[in-house]
C-alpha cells in the first residue's frame, strides 16, 4: 500500500488493484468458505471435545481409522494411539468410523456413544460435497465411544 499510494512510485500503483483483490478474496474464502468446512474435520472436532470435557488422551484409542486424523493430537493436547485389532482395545474410550463401529458391535462389545458426527476430508474437496443438496451422500460417520467389557469369546 505504501508503494501504491506513494507519489515517488507512480509505476507501483499498478499493483494496488490486484493486491486489493487478493486481500478481499482471501478474507472471503477464510471467513465464509473454509471456516464452515472445518467443522467436517473429525480430528479437530473430537480433539476439541476431548480437551473441553477433560478426557485424558491416554484413555482414548483410535480403532480402524478411515481418516488420517492429523489434527486430533494437537486439539486433544496429547498423543492418541491407534490400532486395527480389537485385541488391543484396552482403553476407556474408542474413536472409530463406520466400519470400526460395525465391527465392534458385531463382536459383542458393550458400547455407549459419547459423540457422533459426520466427517469429510476437506483437503480433498469435490463438487458433490460443496453442494449442500448432495453433501449428505458424501460425508461419513464417526463415533467416540465408551467401551464396556470385552466379550467372552476374545
Amino acid at each position: 500500500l505504501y508503494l501504491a499510494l506513494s507519489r515517488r512510485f507512480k509505476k507501483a500503483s499498478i499493483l494496488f488493484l490486484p493486491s486489493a483483490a487478493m486481500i478481499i478474496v482471501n478474507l472471503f474464502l477464510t471467513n465464509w468458505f473454509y471456516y464452515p468446512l472445518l467443522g467436517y474435520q473429525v480430528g479437530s472436532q473430537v480433539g476439541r471435545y476431548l480437551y473441553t470435557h477433560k478426557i485424558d488422551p491416554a484413555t482414548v484409542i483410535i480403532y480402524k481409522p478411515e481418516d488420517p486424523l492429523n489434527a486430533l493430537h494437537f486439539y486433544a493436547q496429547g498423543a492418541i494411539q491407534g490400532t486395527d485389532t480389537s485385541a488391543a482395545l484396552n482403553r476407556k474410550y474408542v474413536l472409530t468410523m463406520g466400519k470400526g463401529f460395525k465391527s465392534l458391535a458385531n463382536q459383542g462389545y458393550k458400547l455407549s456413544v459419547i459423540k457422533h458426527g459426520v466427517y469429510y476430508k476437506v483437503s480433498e474437496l469435490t463438487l458433490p460435497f460443496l453442494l449442500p443438496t448432495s453433501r449428505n451422500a458424501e460425508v461419513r460417520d464417526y463415533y467416540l465411544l465408551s467401551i464396556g467389557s470385552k466379550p467372552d469369546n476374545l
Side-chain angles (χ1 to χ4, degrees):
L1 282 174
Y2 172 76
L3 290 176
L5 298 175
S6 172
R7 295 192 189 276
R8 286 192 290 164
F9 297 101
K10 283 292 186 189
K11 292 180 182 178
S13 65
I14 197 166
L15 298 175
F16 179 72
L17 187 59
S19 298
M22 286 187 286
I23 291 170
I24 291 169
V25 167
N26 191 11
L27 286 171
F28 168 76
L29 289 175
T30 300
N31 293 310
W32 291 282
F33 182 74
Y34 292 125
Y35 186 73
L37 295 179
L38 295 179
Y40 289 94
Q41 290 189 111
V42 65
S44 60
Q45 296 302 310
V46 173
R48 279 189 191 115
Y49 182 87
L50 295 175
Y51 184 73
T52 58
H53 288 85
K54 300 186 182 346
I55 296 174
D56 183 11
T59 63
V60 181
I61 193 163
I62 304 165
Y63 179 64
K64 293 191 178 186
E66 300 167 20
D67 186 69
L69 303 170
N70 296 331
L72 178 64
H73 312 294
F74 174 79
Y75 286 103
Q77 298 292 307
I80 300 175
Q81 292 182 338
T83 185
D84 284 333
T85 64
S86 60
L89 295 178
N90 55 358
R91 309 283 167 83
K92 185 176 180 180
Y93 301 101
V94 176
L95 172 61
T96 190
M97 281 67 177
K99 292 178 186 175
F101 181 77
K102 289 177 186 173
S103 172
L104 292 174
N106 289 339
Q107 292 178 44
Y109 279 92
K110 294 179 183 176
L111 306 171
S112 297
V113 178
I114 298 198
K115 180 172 177 56
H116 171 257
V118 293
Y119 74 95
Y120 186 82
K121 294 180 185 177
V122 297
S123 60
E124 300 173 5
L125 294 177
T126 61
L127 186 59
F129 175 75
L130 291 175
L131 297 172
T133 56
S134 58
R135 184 171 294 160
N136 287 340
E138 298 295 312
V139 296
R140 304 288 176 251
D141 292 316
Y142 72 84
Y143 304 90
L144 179 61
L145 308 168
S146 173
I147 190 163
S149 61
K150 291 183 180 181
D152 294 332
N153 58 356
L154 287 181

